[in-house]
Amino acid sequence: MIAIVDYDVGNLKNVYTALGDVGLSGTITRDKKVLDAADAIILPGVGAFSDAMDNLRKFDLIDTLNDNVKKGKILMGICLGMQLLFDKSYEDGEFSGLSYIPGEIVKFNAPGIKIPHMGWNNLVINRDSPLVKNIGTEDYVYFVHSYYAKPDSFDDVVAYAEYSVKVPAIVQKDNVIGMQFHPEKSSNVGFQLLTNFKEMIS
Amino acid sequence: MLTKRIIPCLDVDHGRVVKGKKFQDIQDVADPVELGRYYSDQGADELVFYDITASYEDRDIFIHIVEKVAEAIRIPFTIGGGISKVEDFRKVLMAGADKVSVNSSAVKNPQLIREAALRFGAQCVVLSIDAKRNNKGSWDVYVKGGRENTGIDAIEWAKQGQDLGAGEICINSIDTDGVKKGYDLELNQKLSSLLTIPIIASGGAGKMEDFAEVLKVGADAALAASVFHYKEIPIVDLKNYLHNQQIPVRRV
């Protein structure tokens, strides 16, 4: 069972449905016992960084996430959920994150580019990982975000997309994984990535 | 590299897809879920479902359609039509939509854009503008399905929408809509150079060259309905054509 963390940050049903596509059973929950019992945890999310962190605090979920990560359980953040994995974000201020991956979240600022980075962009593999099995540079995934991750070490980046900078698309540090794009909205490529995720946890 | 998007638009009336030529002569085409899945398989980058009855009829049928679409397809989709309150945003987003498009209601109450962007994120707020050329060399904003001229300057309204927090602008040219003689290139070029958020061009697609032209002048996405519904342009062929024109597209 995969726990999809329910902390009032938009619709989580699409993630749940896409997990079902690859034969994973998801549970949308904020129950600590369910999170502790889960085979892996998915932290989804859209919206603002500080609101999302506030909600994790409000539902008293941070210690539970910390404990599970420490135990070695796989935690995957999606979109804003990935950004929360880093130390801090400069989205409308300066806010602390979960600090599982060293680095910070900054805004796109190249002249002439459209913000948000919205649409289908291709993945460039930065380093090997079971997460990108059968994934190549002709594979496109759906992004929508105005801020991006700047990890302290680019070795934590499994794949990136080019958009004025090398935008970390898939990050991984040990058992903590992040996807900046939406695998649940990325058609066949998303299906492959979630299949890879499934193989990692089984 | 970020690709240009091709977006089929499906007008939905009582749970069925229709297409109005110049907003008239509506003709039943297909089931929204089946058609959505078909377009997704063909390589559509996103879908727009527009509830054309929503302004004055019960929305429950449509919400049910949104749920069914979200279960069936794995590409992003936008819902428009009859969205006038933040609560309307919440309903369709919770039903599984990725974005919500507002038009007349935002003209009436621009703060709707700000409130929705703050609550759900700018990424899901699409400001849709029906624009028509006037005799002063600019464009006026029309509302109520293109029937009423507000006298508001379309370019100014788009800029204001961006400032209020819209994540995207869909610019529908009433002059070219349903005529199939190409998108309004001048309008799309102006908006693309003035705004920092993505632009979706709408209204006028008749042949593959029309898509190439509007994407080359700066539109980030091109929306069309009838050329796809009547299979005049298969999306697969369109993507190959655009690729050969050196326009970055995602091909399936």
Side-chain angles (χ1 to χ4, degrees), chain A residues 10-14 17-18 21 46-47 51 113-122 140 142 144 162-163 184-187, chain B residues 1-3 5 45-46 70-71 74-77 93-94 96 98-99 123 167-168 192 195-199 218 220 249-250:
Chain A
N11 172 37
L12 313 177
K13 216 159 54 183
N14 290 332
T17 311
D21 290 348
V46 293
D51 293 344
I113 66 159
K114 299 279 181 79
I115 303 171
H117 172 218
M118 185 185 282
W120 297 78
N121 205 335
N122 62 312
Y140 288 84
Y142 186 81
V144 51
E162 291 283 359
Y163 195 64
E184 78 280 13
K185 286 287 168 180
S186 294
S187 194
Chain B
M1 185 175 194
L2 184 67
T3 54
R5 290 168 281 153
D45 295 303
E46 292 183 33
E71 278 164 26
R74 301 289 175 269
I75 60 172
F77 68 97
L93 291 171
M94 292 317 281
D98 300 279
K99 308 181 200 179
Q123 83 291 334
E168 213 169 15
S192 298
L195 300 185
T196 58
I197 57 176
I199 304 292
D220 300 280
V249 285
R250 159 185 164 264

Tab-separated table of all heavy atoms in Angstrom, chain A residues 10-14 17-18 21 46-47 51 113-122 140 142 144 162-163 184-187, chain B residues 1-3 5 45-46 70-71 74-77 93-94 96 98-99 123 167-168 192 195-199 218 220 249-250:
chain	number	residue	atom	x	y	z
A	10	GLY	N	-4.841	20.457	-2.770
A	10	GLY	CA	-5.397	20.174	-4.077
A	10	GLY	C	-5.861	18.740	-4.201
A	10	GLY	O	-5.889	17.979	-3.235
A	11	ASN	N	-6.228	18.402	-5.419
A	11	ASN	CA	-6.813	17.111	-5.703
A	11	ASN	C	-5.739	16.031	-5.746
A	11	ASN	O	-4.748	16.147	-6.450
A	11	ASN	CB	-7.536	17.195	-7.049
A	11	ASN	CG	-8.013	15.837	-7.511
A	11	ASN	OD1	-8.441	15.023	-6.703
A	11	ASN	ND2	-7.928	15.590	-8.788
A	12	LEU	N	-5.926	14.971	-4.974
A	12	LEU	CA	-4.939	13.899	-4.921
A	12	LEU	C	-5.422	12.664	-5.677
A	12	LEU	O	-4.701	11.689	-5.811
A	12	LEU	CB	-4.669	13.520	-3.457
A	12	LEU	CG	-4.432	14.709	-2.512
A	12	LEU	CD1	-4.242	14.220	-1.095
A	12	LEU	CD2	-3.238	15.522	-2.955
A	13	LYS	N	-6.644	12.759	-6.177
A	13	LYS	CA	-7.266	11.595	-6.808
A	13	LYS	C	-6.523	11.184	-8.080
A	13	LYS	O	-6.430	9.993	-8.393
A	13	LYS	CB	-8.721	11.936	-7.137
A	13	LYS	CG	-9.661	10.773	-6.955
A	13	LYS	CD	-11.115	11.196	-6.789
A	13	LYS	CE	-11.597	12.089	-7.919
A	13	LYS	NZ	-12.975	12.567	-7.725
A	14	ASN	N	-5.987	12.174	-8.807
A	14	ASN	CA	-5.301	11.843	-10.054
A	14	ASN	C	-4.043	11.013	-9.797
A	14	ASN	O	-3.704	10.133	-10.588
A	14	ASN	CB	-4.945	13.115	-10.833
A	14	ASN	CG	-6.197	13.790	-11.385
A	14	ASN	OD1	-7.200	13.126	-11.646
A	14	ASN	ND2	-6.146	15.108	-11.541
A	17	THR	N	-5.302	7.525	-8.987
A	17	THR	CA	-5.733	6.812	-10.194
A	17	THR	C	-4.537	6.304	-10.994
A	17	THR	O	-4.535	5.168	-11.470
A	17	THR	CB	-6.590	7.741	-11.085
A	17	THR	OG1	-7.574	8.362	-10.277
A	17	THR	CG2	-7.263	6.979	-12.200
A	18	ALA	N	-3.521	7.163	-11.118
A	18	ALA	CA	-2.346	6.779	-11.915
A	18	ALA	C	-1.568	5.646	-11.236
A	18	ALA	O	-0.991	4.789	-11.919
A	18	ALA	CB	-1.443	7.992	-12.146
A	21	ASP	N	-3.053	2.500	-12.298
A	21	ASP	CA	-2.662	2.092	-13.667
A	21	ASP	C	-1.508	1.106	-13.647
A	21	ASP	O	-1.420	0.218	-14.485
A	21	ASP	CB	-2.206	3.305	-14.496
A	21	ASP	CG	-3.347	4.245	-14.837
A	21	ASP	OD1	-4.509	3.859	-14.645
A	21	ASP	OD2	-3.061	5.362	-15.309
A	46	VAL	N	0.101	20.973	-5.026
A	46	VAL	CA	0.194	22.151	-5.886
A	46	VAL	C	-0.083	23.356	-5.004
A	46	VAL	O	-0.638	23.221	-3.920
A	46	VAL	CB	-0.815	22.125	-7.065
A	46	VAL	CG1	-0.501	21.019	-8.043
A	46	VAL	CG2	-2.241	21.991	-6.554
A	47	GLY	N	0.302	24.532	-5.466
A	47	GLY	CA	0.048	25.746	-4.707
A	47	GLY	C	1.337	26.344	-4.184
A	47	GLY	O	2.396	26.164	-4.785
A	51	ASP	N	2.315	27.683	2.330
A	51	ASP	CA	1.016	27.109	2.730
A	51	ASP	C	1.147	25.608	2.939
A	51	ASP	O	0.587	25.044	3.882
A	51	ASP	CB	-0.045	27.344	1.643
A	51	ASP	CG	-0.400	28.814	1.496
A	51	ASP	OD1	-0.059	29.589	2.408
A	51	ASP	OD2	-1.005	29.174	0.465
A	113	ILE	N	11.850	34.472	-20.890
A	113	ILE	CA	11.164	33.184	-20.801
A	113	ILE	C	9.788	33.360	-20.164
A	113	ILE	O	9.564	34.240	-19.345
A	113	ILE	CB	11.959	32.088	-20.040
A	113	ILE	CG1	12.122	32.437	-18.562
A	113	ILE	CG2	13.273	31.791	-20.719
A	113	ILE	CD1	12.415	31.230	-17.697
A	114	LYS	N	8.888	32.486	-20.603
A	114	LYS	CA	7.542	32.503	-20.040
A	114	LYS	C	7.554	31.776	-18.697
A	114	LYS	O	8.182	30.737	-18.555
A	114	LYS	CB	6.567	31.795	-20.995
A	114	LYS	CG	6.444	32.430	-22.378
A	114	LYS	CD	5.514	33.629	-22.367
A	114	LYS	CE	5.367	34.263	-23.728
A	114	LYS	NZ	4.446	33.561	-24.628
A	115	ILE	N	6.862	32.364	-17.740
A	115	ILE	CA	6.708	31.745	-16.429
A	115	ILE	C	5.215	31.679	-16.126
A	115	ILE	O	4.537	32.703	-16.244
A	115	ILE	CB	7.425	32.567	-15.329
A	115	ILE	CG1	8.906	32.712	-15.684
A	115	ILE	CG2	7.261	31.911	-13.956
A	115	ILE	CD1	9.651	33.687	-14.775
A	116	PRO	N	4.672	30.541	-15.709
A	116	PRO	CA	5.308	29.271	-15.380
A	116	PRO	C	5.976	28.553	-16.569
A	116	PRO	O	5.637	28.816	-17.724
A	116	PRO	CB	4.136	28.406	-14.889
A	116	PRO	CG	2.931	29.280	-14.792
A	116	PRO	CD	3.209	30.503	-15.558
A	117	HIS	N	6.921	27.685	-16.212
A	117	HIS	CA	7.428	26.667	-17.143
A	117	HIS	C	6.282	25.683	-17.268
A	117	HIS	O	6.027	24.901	-16.361
A	117	HIS	CB	8.667	26.006	-16.516
A	117	HIS	CG	9.177	24.806	-17.266
A	117	HIS	ND1	9.668	23.686	-16.610
A	117	HIS	CD2	9.306	24.546	-18.589
A	117	HIS	CE1	10.072	22.792	-17.504
A	117	HIS	NE2	9.858	23.286	-18.702
A	118	MET	N	5.531	25.804	-18.373
A	118	MET	CA	4.292	25.046	-18.489
A	118	MET	C	4.255	24.266	-19.789
A	118	MET	O	4.414	24.844	-20.853
A	118	MET	CB	3.091	26.012	-18.439
A	118	MET	CG	1.755	25.304	-18.421
A	118	MET	SD	0.368	26.447	-18.520
A	118	MET	CE	0.278	27.074	-16.859
A	119	GLY	N	4.068	22.978	-19.686
A	119	GLY	CA	3.939	22.156	-20.873
A	119	GLY	C	4.857	20.948	-20.828
A	119	GLY	O	5.390	20.598	-19.777
A	120	TRP	N	5.041	20.351	-22.008
A	120	TRP	CA	5.786	19.096	-22.113
A	120	TRP	C	7.247	19.395	-22.459
A	120	TRP	O	7.535	20.043	-23.451
A	120	TRP	CB	5.170	18.204	-23.186
A	120	TRP	CG	3.761	17.791	-22.889
A	120	TRP	CD1	2.633	18.549	-23.046
A	120	TRP	CD2	3.318	16.535	-22.377
A	120	TRP	NE1	1.517	17.834	-22.659
A	120	TRP	CE2	1.908	16.585	-22.258
A	120	TRP	CE3	3.972	15.338	-22.023
A	120	TRP	CZ2	1.148	15.516	-21.795
A	120	TRP	CZ3	3.210	14.273	-21.564
A	120	TRP	CH2	1.816	14.363	-21.451
A	121	ASN	N	8.132	18.888	-21.624
A	121	ASN	CA	9.565	19.070	-21.861
A	121	ASN	C	10.228	17.699	-21.738
A	121	ASN	O	9.728	16.813	-21.045
A	121	ASN	CB	10.137	20.066	-20.854
A	121	ASN	CG	11.391	20.754	-21.359
A	121	ASN	OD1	12.110	20.209	-22.214
A	121	ASN	ND2	11.676	21.925	-20.836
A	122	ASN	N	11.362	17.548	-22.442
A	122	ASN	CA	11.989	16.219	-22.441
A	122	ASN	C	12.997	16.067	-21.306
A	122	ASN	O	13.580	17.038	-20.820
A	122	ASN	CB	12.635	15.914	-23.789
A	122	ASN	CG	13.738	16.873	-24.135
A	122	ASN	OD1	13.568	18.079	-24.016
A	122	ASN	ND2	14.878	16.360	-24.544
A	140	TYR	N	8.935	12.897	-23.102
A	140	TYR	CA	8.426	14.182	-22.616
A	140	TYR	C	7.484	13.978	-21.426
A	140	TYR	O	6.710	13.025	-21.398
A	140	TYR	CB	7.668	14.901	-23.731
A	140	TYR	CG	8.582	15.437	-24.804
A	140	TYR	CD1	9.025	14.630	-25.844
A	140	TYR	CD2	9.024	16.755	-24.755
A	140	TYR	CE1	9.882	15.121	-26.816
A	140	TYR	CE2	9.875	17.254	-25.723
A	140	TYR	CZ	10.301	16.429	-26.749
A	140	TYR	OH	11.144	16.914	-27.704
A	142	TYR	N	5.008	16.312	-18.359
A	142	TYR	CA	4.261	17.568	-18.224
A	142	TYR	C	4.670	18.350	-16.971
A	142	TYR	O	4.494	17.893	-15.855
A	142	TYR	CB	2.754	17.287	-18.185
A	142	TYR	CG	1.950	18.559	-18.203
A	142	TYR	CD1	1.715	19.226	-19.399
A	142	TYR	CD2	1.459	19.110	-17.032
A	142	TYR	CE1	1.005	20.418	-19.424
A	142	TYR	CE2	0.743	20.301	-17.049
A	142	TYR	CZ	0.530	20.947	-18.250
A	142	TYR	OH	-0.173	22.118	-18.272
A	144	VAL	N	4.509	22.062	-14.746
A	144	VAL	CA	3.917	23.380	-14.544
A	144	VAL	C	4.402	23.903	-13.198
A	144	VAL	O	4.002	23.446	-12.145
A	144	VAL	CB	2.374	23.378	-14.683
A	144	VAL	CG1	1.701	22.322	-13.842
A	144	VAL	CG2	1.798	24.742	-14.357
A	162	GLU	N	15.727	21.154	-19.936
A	162	GLU	CA	16.326	22.451	-20.260
A	162	GLU	C	15.238	23.520	-20.330
A	162	GLU	O	14.298	23.419	-21.128
A	162	GLU	CB	17.035	22.387	-21.619
A	162	GLU	CG	18.296	21.538	-21.652
A	162	GLU	CD	19.513	22.217	-21.017
A	162	GLU	OE1	19.377	23.379	-20.562
A	162	GLU	OE2	20.585	21.573	-20.971
A	163	TYR	N	15.345	24.529	-19.483
A	163	TYR	CA	14.447	25.685	-19.592
A	163	TYR	C	15.186	26.878	-19.002
A	163	TYR	O	15.080	27.160	-17.811
A	163	TYR	CB	13.121	25.427	-18.870
A	163	TYR	CG	12.038	26.417	-19.254
A	163	TYR	CD1	11.560	26.460	-20.567
A	163	TYR	CD2	11.513	27.313	-18.342
A	163	TYR	CE1	10.569	27.365	-20.936
A	163	TYR	CE2	10.535	28.221	-18.700
A	163	TYR	CZ	10.063	28.239	-20.005
A	163	TYR	OH	9.094	29.141	-20.369
A	184	GLU	N	1.589	11.647	-13.126
A	184	GLU	CA	0.195	11.200	-13.275
A	184	GLU	C	-0.506	11.881	-14.440
A	184	GLU	O	-1.610	11.500	-14.818
A	184	GLU	CB	-0.564	11.421	-11.959
A	184	GLU	CG	-1.020	12.852	-11.668
A	184	GLU	CD	0.080	13.768	-11.105
A	184	GLU	OE1	1.268	13.394	-11.151
A	184	GLU	OE2	-0.276	14.869	-10.635
A	185	LYS	N	0.162	12.902	-15.027
A	185	LYS	CA	-0.417	13.609	-16.169
A	185	LYS	C	0.481	13.491	-17.390
A	185	LYS	O	0.346	14.253	-18.343
A	185	LYS	CB	-0.592	15.096	-15.809
A	185	LYS	CG	-1.748	15.331	-14.861
A	185	LYS	CD	-3.078	15.165	-15.572
A	185	LYS	CE	-4.240	15.112	-14.602
A	185	LYS	NZ	-5.511	14.949	-15.328
A	186	SER	N	1.451	12.578	-17.326
A	186	SER	CA	2.459	12.520	-18.384
A	186	SER	C	2.305	11.298	-19.281
A	186	SER	O	3.297	10.745	-19.780
A	186	SER	CB	3.864	12.574	-17.785
A	186	SER	OG	4.086	13.831	-17.173
A	187	SER	N	1.055	10.894	-19.482
A	187	SER	CA	0.730	9.879	-20.469
A	187	SER	C	1.605	8.627	-20.308
A	187	SER	O	1.831	8.176	-19.189
A	187	SER	CB	0.845	10.505	-21.866
A	187	SER	OG	0.246	9.689	-22.833
B	1	MET	N	13.797	20.353	-24.422
B	1	MET	CA	13.280	21.657	-24.835
B	1	MET	C	11.766	21.695	-24.670
B	1	MET	O	11.075	20.736	-25.007
B	1	MET	CB	13.641	21.869	-26.310
B	1	MET	CG	13.282	23.229	-26.827
B	1	MET	SD	13.896	23.417	-28.521
B	1	MET	CE	13.736	25.184	-28.696
B	2	LEU	N	11.273	22.798	-24.139
B	2	LEU	CA	9.829	22.914	-23.943
B	2	LEU	C	9.147	22.947	-25.306
B	2	LEU	O	9.541	23.698	-26.193
B	2	LEU	CB	9.504	24.187	-23.164
B	2	LEU	CG	8.026	24.369	-22.806
B	2	LEU	CD1	7.561	23.315	-21.815
B	2	LEU	CD2	7.775	25.766	-22.245
B	3	THR	N	8.121	22.137	-25.465
B	3	THR	CA	7.452	22.040	-26.760
B	3	THR	C	6.227	22.945	-26.816
B	3	THR	O	5.681	23.340	-25.794
B	3	THR	CB	7.006	20.589	-27.022
B	3	THR	OG1	6.217	20.142	-25.916
B	3	THR	CG2	8.207	19.671	-27.176
B	5	ARG	N	2.336	23.439	-27.562
B	5	ARG	CA	1.225	22.523	-27.288
B	5	ARG	C	0.089	22.625	-28.306
B	5	ARG	O	-0.249	23.713	-28.757
B	5	ARG	CB	0.657	22.819	-25.889
B	5	ARG	CG	1.564	22.444	-24.757
B	5	ARG	CD	1.071	23.022	-23.443
B	5	ARG	NE	1.407	24.426	-23.300
B	5	ARG	CZ	0.712	25.288	-22.573
B	5	ARG	NH1	-0.376	24.909	-21.948
B	5	ARG	NH2	1.100	26.547	-22.486
B	45	ASP	N	-1.714	17.470	-26.474
B	45	ASP	CA	-0.902	17.803	-25.305
B	45	ASP	C	-1.760	18.147	-24.089
B	45	ASP	O	-1.319	17.997	-22.948
B	45	ASP	CB	0.023	18.974	-25.639
B	45	ASP	CG	1.021	18.575	-26.715
B	45	ASP	OD1	1.745	17.595	-26.499
B	45	ASP	OD2	1.032	19.224	-27.777
B	46	GLU	N	-2.926	18.657	-24.352
B	46	GLU	CA	-3.880	18.982	-23.296
B	46	GLU	C	-5.252	18.938	-23.945
B	46	GLU	O	-5.361	18.909	-25.170
B	46	GLU	CB	-3.678	20.422	-22.771
B	46	GLU	CG	-2.419	20.647	-22.017
B	46	GLU	CD	-2.318	22.077	-21.467
B	46	GLU	OE1	-3.355	22.691	-21.118
B	46	GLU	OE2	-1.201	22.565	-21.408
B	70	ALA	N	-11.242	12.503	-15.894
B	70	ALA	CA	-10.042	12.390	-15.057
B	70	ALA	C	-9.661	10.932	-14.834
B	70	ALA	O	-8.474	10.598	-14.742
B	70	ALA	CB	-10.265	13.085	-13.716
B	71	GLU	N	-10.658	10.065	-14.762
B	71	GLU	CA	-10.346	8.645	-14.593
B	71	GLU	C	-9.794	8.034	-15.868
B	71	GLU	O	-8.992	7.110	-15.825
B	71	GLU	CB	-11.611	7.879	-14.176
B	71	GLU	CG	-11.883	7.986	-12.679
B	71	GLU	CD	-13.304	7.570	-12.323
B	71	GLU	OE1	-13.899	6.771	-13.076
B	71	GLU	OE2	-13.807	8.060	-11.300
B	74	ARG	N	-4.698	10.603	-19.102
B	74	ARG	CA	-3.501	10.948	-18.325
B	74	ARG	C	-2.740	12.108	-18.961
B	74	ARG	O	-1.521	12.097	-19.022
B	74	ARG	CB	-2.581	9.719	-18.216
B	74	ARG	CG	-3.208	8.523	-17.566
B	74	ARG	CD	-3.432	8.695	-16.069
B	74	ARG	NE	-4.148	7.539	-15.561
B	74	ARG	CZ	-5.487	7.451	-15.489
B	74	ARG	NH1	-6.252	8.463	-15.847
B	74	ARG	NH2	-6.060	6.356	-15.055
B	75	ILE	N	-3.491	13.061	-19.479
B	75	ILE	CA	-2.879	14.321	-19.893
B	75	ILE	C	-3.676	15.425	-19.198
B	75	ILE	O	-4.803	15.185	-18.760
B	75	ILE	CB	-2.857	14.520	-21.433
B	75	ILE	CG1	-4.269	14.504	-22.007
B	75	ILE	CG2	-1.964	13.474	-22.104
B	75	ILE	CD1	-4.329	14.898	-23.480
B	76	PRO	N	-3.092	16.618	-19.081
B	76	PRO	CA	-3.801	17.674	-18.366
B	76	PRO	C	-5.045	18.132	-19.122
B	76	PRO	O	-5.078	18.088	-20.351
B	76	PRO	CB	-2.778	18.816	-18.317
B	76	PRO	CG	-1.493	18.229	-18.730
B	76	PRO	CD	-1.787	17.051	-19.578
B	77	PHE	N	-6.047	18.545	-18.369
B	77	PHE	CA	-7.202	19.125	-19.050
B	77	PHE	C	-7.772	20.301	-18.269
B	77	PHE	O	-7.638	20.397	-17.058
B	77	PHE	CB	-8.266	18.065	-19.362
B	77	PHE	CG	-8.975	17.482	-18.178
B	77	PHE	CD1	-10.206	17.970	-17.780
B	77	PHE	CD2	-8.422	16.430	-17.478
B	77	PHE	CE1	-10.872	17.420	-16.693
B	77	PHE	CE2	-9.087	15.869	-16.392
B	77	PHE	CZ	-10.323	16.369	-15.999
B	93	LEU	N	-11.851	21.313	-9.760
B	93	LEU	CA	-10.501	20.836	-9.446
B	93	LEU	C	-10.573	19.545	-8.634
B	93	LEU	O	-9.814	18.608	-8.875
B	93	LEU	CB	-9.696	21.902	-8.692
B	93	LEU	CG	-9.315	23.142	-9.495
B	93	LEU	CD1	-8.720	24.216	-8.583
B	93	LEU	CD2	-8.322	22.805	-10.612
B	94	MET	N	-11.500	19.491	-7.700
B	94	MET	CA	-11.638	18.278	-6.904
B	94	MET	C	-12.179	17.121	-7.742
B	94	MET	O	-11.951	15.961	-7.429
B	94	MET	CB	-12.525	18.514	-5.673
B	94	MET	CG	-11.918	19.444	-4.629
B	94	MET	SD	-10.172	19.154	-4.275
B	94	MET	CE	-10.286	17.739	-3.178
B	96	GLY	N	-11.100	16.554	-10.582
B	96	GLY	CA	-9.947	16.031	-11.318
B	96	GLY	C	-9.398	16.928	-12.410
B	96	GLY	O	-8.423	16.564	-13.070
B	98	ASP	N	-7.280	19.930	-14.141
B	98	ASP	CA	-5.985	20.522	-13.805
B	98	ASP	C	-6.029	22.036	-13.816
B	98	ASP	O	-5.297	22.690	-13.092
B	98	ASP	CB	-4.931	20.049	-14.815
B	98	ASP	CG	-4.819	18.552	-14.782
B	98	ASP	OD1	-4.134	18.044	-13.894
B	98	ASP	OD2	-5.464	17.884	-15.620
B	99	LYS	N	-6.858	22.589	-14.695
B	99	LYS	CA	-6.943	24.037	-14.811
B	99	LYS	C	-8.401	24.434	-14.996
B	99	LYS	O	-9.224	23.620	-15.413
B	99	LYS	CB	-6.161	24.549	-16.025
B	99	LYS	CG	-4.732	24.086	-16.117
B	99	LYS	CD	-4.078	24.681	-17.361
B	99	LYS	CE	-2.859	23.897	-17.758
B	99	LYS	NZ	-2.224	24.426	-18.974
B	123	GLN	N	-1.119	28.349	-11.466
B	123	GLN	CA	-1.008	27.380	-12.567
B	123	GLN	C	-2.365	26.874	-13.053
B	123	GLN	O	-2.482	26.415	-14.172
B	123	GLN	CB	-0.110	26.205	-12.169
B	123	GLN	CG	-0.767	25.082	-11.371
B	123	GLN	CD	-1.167	25.483	-9.970
B	123	GLN	OE1	-0.592	26.382	-9.383
B	123	GLN	NE2	-2.178	24.822	-9.427
B	167	GLY	N	-2.378	32.207	-14.697
B	167	GLY	CA	-1.188	31.449	-15.077
B	167	GLY	C	-1.024	31.338	-16.577
B	167	GLY	O	0.029	30.944	-17.075
B	168	GLU	N	-2.071	31.701	-17.299
B	168	GLU	CA	-2.085	31.518	-18.746
B	168	GLU	C	-3.219	32.363	-19.332
B	168	GLU	O	-4.210	32.606	-18.658
B	168	GLU	CB	-2.376	30.037	-19.011
B	168	GLU	CG	-1.725	29.452	-20.219
B	168	GLU	CD	-1.871	27.930	-20.230
B	168	GLU	OE1	-2.683	27.357	-19.496
B	168	GLU	OE2	-1.152	27.313	-21.008
B	192	SER	N	2.056	37.833	-27.018
B	192	SER	CA	3.207	37.005	-26.658
B	192	SER	C	4.411	37.846	-26.288
B	192	SER	O	5.186	37.477	-25.416
B	192	SER	CB	3.579	36.073	-27.808
B	192	SER	OG	2.524	35.219	-28.084
B	195	LEU	N	3.415	39.806	-22.695
B	195	LEU	CA	3.146	39.069	-21.461
B	195	LEU	C	4.296	38.123	-21.122
B	195	LEU	O	5.051	37.717	-22.001
B	195	LEU	CB	1.854	38.262	-21.591
B	195	LEU	CG	0.574	39.048	-21.861
B	195	LEU	CD1	-0.620	38.101	-21.844
B	195	LEU	CD2	0.361	40.147	-20.848
B	196	THR	N	4.379	37.772	-19.838
B	196	THR	CA	5.400	36.804	-19.428
B	196	THR	C	4.794	35.435	-19.130
B	196	THR	O	5.499	34.489	-18.846
B	196	THR	CB	6.144	37.291	-18.167
B	196	THR	OG1	5.178	37.492	-17.131
B	196	THR	CG2	6.875	38.586	-18.428
B	197	ILE	N	3.456	35.336	-19.157
B	197	ILE	CA	2.812	34.034	-18.971
B	197	ILE	C	2.490	33.441	-20.349
B	197	ILE	O	2.434	34.165	-21.340
B	197	ILE	CB	1.524	34.144	-18.096
B	197	ILE	CG1	0.520	35.137	-18.694
B	197	ILE	CG2	1.880	34.538	-16.672
B	197	ILE	CD1	-0.794	35.231	-17.941
B	198	PRO	N	2.299	32.129	-20.419
B	198	PRO	CA	2.037	31.503	-21.726
B	198	PRO	C	0.710	31.949	-22.354
B	198	PRO	O	-0.236	32.299	-21.656
B	198	PRO	CB	1.990	30.003	-21.388
B	198	PRO	CG	2.680	29.853	-20.073
B	198	PRO	CD	2.435	31.128	-19.337
B	199	ILE	N	0.704	31.922	-23.697
B	199	ILE	CA	-0.471	32.307	-24.488
B	199	ILE	C	-0.981	31.099	-25.273
B	199	ILE	O	-0.200	30.410	-25.929
B	199	ILE	CB	-0.089	33.370	-25.553
B	199	ILE	CG1	0.563	34.593	-24.910
B	199	ILE	CG2	-1.299	33.779	-26.391
B	199	ILE	CD1	-0.359	35.385	-24.067
B	218	GLY	N	4.857	33.396	-31.729
B	218	GLY	CA	5.067	33.469	-30.285
B	218	GLY	C	4.050	32.775	-29.400
B	218	GLY	O	4.274	32.667	-28.196
B	220	ASP	N	2.293	29.989	-27.336
B	220	ASP	CA	2.893	28.817	-26.708
B	220	ASP	C	2.086	27.556	-26.983
B	220	ASP	O	2.591	26.442	-26.856
B	220	ASP	CB	2.978	29.040	-25.195
B	220	ASP	CG	3.823	30.261	-24.889
B	220	ASP	OD1	5.043	30.125	-24.924
B	220	ASP	OD2	3.255	31.359	-24.684
B	249	VAL	N	7.817	20.075	-30.942
B	249	VAL	CA	6.563	19.452	-30.517
B	249	VAL	C	6.861	18.063	-29.947
B	249	VAL	O	7.887	17.473	-30.231
B	249	VAL	CB	5.545	19.287	-31.680
B	249	VAL	CG1	4.918	20.610	-32.049
B	249	VAL	CG2	6.187	18.620	-32.887
B	250	ARG	N	5.940	17.610	-29.144
B	250	ARG	CA	6.032	16.251	-28.587
B	250	ARG	C	5.271	15.316	-29.524
B	250	ARG	O	4.102	15.543	-29.818
B	250	ARG	CB	5.411	16.272	-27.189
B	250	ARG	CG	4.964	14.958	-26.641
B	250	ARG	CD	4.254	15.206	-25.309
B	250	ARG	NE	3.484	14.061	-24.909
B	250	ARG	CZ	2.182	13.892	-25.131
B	250	ARG	NH1	1.484	14.811	-25.748
B	250	ARG	NH2	1.578	12.807	-24.718
